[in-house]
Structure formats: structure tokens, C-alpha cells
Amino acid sequence: MPELKTAICFIDHREHMQIDGRFLKDLEPATRNLIKGDYPKAKVTDFICDHDLLKYQLMRVDGMVNSDVKQTKKINRRLTKAMQSDDYDIVDVNDNLAKSLTFGQKVSDAVARFGGSWGFIFAFTFVLVSWMCINALHLFGLHFDPYPFILLNLALSCIAAIQAPIIMMSQNRAADRDRMSSENDYHVNQKSEHELRILHAKLDNLTQNQLPHSLEIQKLEIEILGQIRTELDMLQRNQMGNPKNDLNENASQENENESENKTD
């Protein structure tokens, strides 16, 4: 059976088997830096036993967990602040415009609604046809606007001249409504974009930092459990070895007593 190599731990200065510890060069840089923080003169060729290494592995786990928790809290604070931000109040466009309506604006809206309806088209068509039929056929003995209906053209021109600015007034109100709606949409989109950026940063932190840290922590946990298992096996072997030694000592004592009795 090959002889197991031993090494001296630079922390407790005791001799240990090499299978019960690690050399600093075999450790991960983060754990090695923690050890060098307490022992600046430590070299990569120095040996550390599992019992002392366990302390720094747990420190490494605590450091990664605390770092992840700190970063997550920082991002959550940014997200909460962005969601609670009241830099711009969303305006109810319809309610705001309805409260500021004047009589002329109400009239312009009514004229625009009626002028853009089928009822207006049917009514105006009926008036035109009736006007032309009465004057062309001399119905009811009326002949106040003979062909080519100059009076009708004058009436239509006056109606168009009056109707156009009234409709434009209503369109200006519609433009104001659209402008206010656009401002609301802009600020809502800006706030949503800011929140999405923070959520994206949170996902990046999760995928780039926390998940690798979780895998590294699991790896360290497996190493720690292996070290604990090794120490338990050593304790169990020592406990099993002690009764045998006691039996051997008792047997040797009995043999000595028997030899003394025979000489007597």
C-alpha cells in the first residue's frame, strides 16, 4: 500500500495528510484572496488543512450571498422609485376639454358633427333638388330663381363661407385633444421605458451574477460536505481504533500477570 504524503498547514502548523487539505495554488482566486487577506505572507505553494479552509469557504459563500442581496436591493429601490415617480400627472383629455368648453365651441362642435353626417347630406340634397324643381318647373307658381340658379349659388357660397371657419374651430379643438393625448402617451412611454430598463438590468444581474454565484455556491457546498464527511470518517476510524488498542493493552497486561504468577 503506498505511503500517504503529509504536509504542514501554515495556519495551525500541524502535520496533515495531503488528502485532508489543499494547496493554495489549487484554490479558486476568490478563496485564495480571502486567505491572503489574513495571511499576506502566504504563498501559493503553502498547504492549508480542510478544517481551516472551511472557514474561508463559508466566508466566500457569505460574501457572494451578501453581494447578490445588496445588488438586488439596489435595483429594487430604483424600480420602486421609478414606479412611484410623479413628475408628470396624466391628464384626462376629454374631462379637461369638457370643463373648458365655451358656448361658441359647443356650437362649432355641433355644426361639425351635423355637417359630417348622413342626415346633413340627405337634408341638403332634398333642399337643392326642391329649389331647382320649384324654379325650373314653376311649381306652386313660384319662379324666384330662374336657371342657372344664381341665388342658389350665392346661398351655397355664403353657407360654405360660414361653415368652413366653424368646422375649422372644431378641428382646432380636435388638434388640442390630439396634442394632449400625445403628451400623455409620451410621458407614459417614457416612464415605461425607464421601468423596462431597470427590469432589464435586474434580469442581467440575475443571469450574469446571481446564477453563476448560485452554481459556485453549490460547488462550494459540495466541497464543504465532502470535507465534513472526511472528518466524520476520520473520527469514526479513530473511535473504532481505540477499543482495539484497549483490548490489546488488556491482553498484554493479562499475559504479564500470568507470567508473574508462573515465576512465583
Side-chain angles (χ1 to χ4, degrees):
M1 185 175 182
E3 183 180 358
L4 295 176
K5 296 182 179 180
T6 60
I8 297 177
C9 177
F10 74 95
I11 294 179
D12 60 10
H13 304 291
R14 295 181 181 178
E15 188 175 6
H16 301 272
M17 291 186 295
Q18 291 186 5
I19 60 173
D20 295 332
R22 305 272 292 277
F23 288 97
L24 293 187
K25 63 181 179 180
D26 298 329
L27 298 177
E28 294 182 355
T31 306
R32 187 166 59 244
N33 291 334
L34 287 175
I35 297 174
K36 286 189 175 183
D38 293 338
Y39 300 92
K41 295 182 180 181
K43 301 178 181 178
V44 293
T45 56
D46 289 339
F47 177 82
I48 182 172
C49 62
D50 289 337
H51 180 74
D52 294 322
L53 178 60
L54 179 61
K55 169 187 173 183
Y56 294 98
Q57 289 176 330
L58 293 176
M59 288 175 60
R60 174 60 180 158
V61 172
D62 291 338
M64 286 188 291
V65 172
N66 293 333
S67 176
D68 292 340
V69 171
K70 183 178 180 181
Q71 185 67 18
T72 301
K73 288 183 178 180
K74 181 179 178 181
I75 296 176
N76 288 338
R77 284 196 299 268
R78 289 176 55 195
L79 181 60
T80 303
K81 183 178 179 181
M83 295 179 67
Q84 294 177 349
S85 177
D86 295 329
D87 296 337
Y88 178 80
D89 294 330
I90 303 301
V91 179
D92 188 348
V93 177
N94 294 324
D95 183 67
N96 190 23
L97 291 177
K99 291 180 179 179
S100 61
L101 279 177
T102 62
F103 177 76
Q105 291 172 340
K106 292 179 181 179
V107 172
S108 66
D109 289 342
V111 171
R113 282 194 300 269
F114 179 70
S117 64
W118 283 106
F120 173 78
I121 294 175
F122 291 142
F124 203 69
T125 301
F126 176 75
V127 171
L128 291 178
V129 172
S130 299
W131 184 295
M132 289 184 288
C133 290
I134 290 173
N135 288 278
L137 301 177
H138 302 278
L139 296 178
F140 310 110
L142 298 174
H143 188 59
F144 56 87
D145 187 19
Y147 183 83
F149 312 116
I150 297 174
L151 183 60
L152 178 61
N153 290 328
L154 177 62
L156 292 177
S157 298
C158 292
I159 292 174
I162 297 174
Q163 188 182 25
I166 295 176
I167 295 176
M168 290 180 65
M169 290 171 60
S170 179
Q171 289 179 346
N172 290 334
R173 283 178 44 75
D176 292 337
R177 181 183 291 105
D178 294 337
R179 178 182 56 78
M180 295 176 66
S181 297
S182 298
E183 289 180 357
N184 283 339
D185 293 340
Y186 170 75
H187 289 284
V188 170
N189 292 336
Q190 190 177 31
K191 186 175 181 180
S192 300
E193 182 182 3
H194 184 50
E195 294 176 2
L196 288 174
R197 288 179 182 274
I198 298 175
L199 290 174
H200 195 277
K202 189 172 184 178
L203 290 176
D204 288 342
N205 178 60
L206 177 63
T207 56
Q208 296 178 6
N209 295 327
Q210 292 188 8
L211 288 180
H213 285 176
S214 298
L215 296 175
E216 189 172 355
I217 289 173
Q218 290 179 2
K219 181 181 177 181
L220 289 173
E221 287 176 349
I222 293 173
E223 292 181 359
I224 292 171
L225 290 175
Q227 294 170 9
I228 294 174
R229 179 61 182 270
T230 302
E231 292 187 1
L232 290 176
D233 291 340
M234 291 176 61
L235 291 175
Q236 187 176 5
R237 287 196 300 268
N238 292 332
Q239 290 178 356
M240 292 177 63
N242 289 334
K244 293 181 179 179
N245 294 332
D246 294 339
L247 291 175
N248 292 331
E249 291 178 358
N250 292 331
S252 61
Q253 186 67 30
E254 290 178 356
N255 292 331
E256 290 177 358
N257 293 333
E258 289 178 359
S259 62
E260 290 177 357
N261 292 330
K262 288 180 181 179
T263 55
D264 293 339

